[in-house]
Amino acid sequence: MRTALAHADRYSRGAIWFHWAIAVLVIANLLIGLFHESLLDGVQAALPLHKAIGMTVLVLTLGRIAWRLGHRPPPLPATMTGGARFAAHLSHLALYTLLLVMPLTGWLQVSGAKTPHPFSWFGLFDVPLLPVARATGRVAHESHELLGWLMLALVLIHIAAALRHHFLLRDSVLARMAPGLSVRR
């Protein structure tokens, strides 16, 4: 049996839009980042696309944070334990942090490259370089790579947790963020 969620138990349309737009872009960028040296070797558009998507994620994340400040999220299910609530809040904080830090380390990496060049945002305009030293670019490169693996792990955990809530716990956690999805009872 499926039950519909009350409007107050769902995220706002803006929050849902930000979530899914950022999710699709992050997954695309993780794939490009992981495979640009193997499967995508020789694809000239891979890294410029990766950079443009990264900047888009940064801007959308800032927009999402601004949206969140004006729109309270729906409450977590009353059945969630204190530990589960803490884990949910901690994982969301980690994801938001990475959504900001990942694009910034990429931007620092490009800005501190051996021969830095502004990069294009989908061919529409050049993103200016940040005024950083070359050493900053090297540190940013290593950080970006390590944080990419952490982002991948958190995304997989986030997806697994959402599916667990929907299919095993049968609560409203996934349904409140997924358009058209009802709670499974």
Side-chain angles (χ1 to χ4, degrees), residues 51 109-119 129 134:
K51 294 170 188 176
Q109 177 184 344
V110 170
S111 298
K114 186 185 251 184
T115 55
H117 300 287
F119 57 96
L129 297 174
R134 187 162 170 227

Side-chain angles (χ1 to χ4, degrees), residues 5-26:
L5 282 178
H7 184 71
D9 292 333
R10 290 180 98 44
Y11 276 92
S12 65
R13 288 180 193 212
I16 291 171
W17 184 89
F18 276 119
H19 176 273
W20 290 107
I22 292 169
V24 167
L25 293 173
V26 165

Side-chain angles (χ1 to χ4, degrees), residues 71-85:
H71 299 82
R72 288 186 61 84
L76 292 170
T79 56
M80 284 182 71
T81 66
R85 289 172 185 276

Side-chain angles (χ1 to χ4, degrees), residues 143-155:
S143 299
H144 192 70
E145 191 171 304
L146 290 171
L147 292 172
W149 287 107
L150 180 58
M151 176 67 92
L152 176 62
L154 281 173
V155 165

Side-chain angles (χ1 to χ4, degrees), residues 33-158:
L34 288 171
F35 298 116
H36 76 276
E37 291 178 344
S38 56
L39 296 177
L40 299 175
D41 188 31
V43 177
Q44 298 299 321
L47 283 180
L49 181 62
H50 181 78
K51 294 170 188 176
I53 290 172
M55 294 308 294
T56 305
V57 167
L58 178 62
V59 170
L60 287 175
T61 299
L62 293 170
R64 184 171 181 181
I65 291 168
W67 182 271
R68 169 66 178 81
L69 293 174
H71 299 82
R72 288 186 61 84
L76 292 170
T79 56
M80 284 182 71
T81 66
R85 289 172 185 276
F86 177 75
H89 291 304
L90 187 62
S91 66
H92 281 104
L93 177 62
L95 281 168
Y96 274 105
T97 300
L98 285 175
L99 288 170
L100 294 170
V101 174
M102 284 292 298
L104 290 174
T105 58
W107 196 1
L108 288 168
Q109 177 184 344
V110 170
S111 298
K114 186 185 251 184
T115 55
H117 300 287
F119 57 96
S120 174
W121 188 76
F122 298 111
L124 297 175
F125 60 86
D126 283 345
V127 175
L129 297 174
L130 299 171
V132 298
R134 187 162 170 227
T136 302
R138 287 192 298 271
V139 171
H141 173 78
E142 293 303 318
S143 299
H144 192 70
E145 191 171 304
L146 290 171
L147 292 172
W149 287 107
L150 180 58
M151 176 67 92
L152 176 62
L154 281 173
V155 165
L156 293 174
I157 290 168
H158 186 71

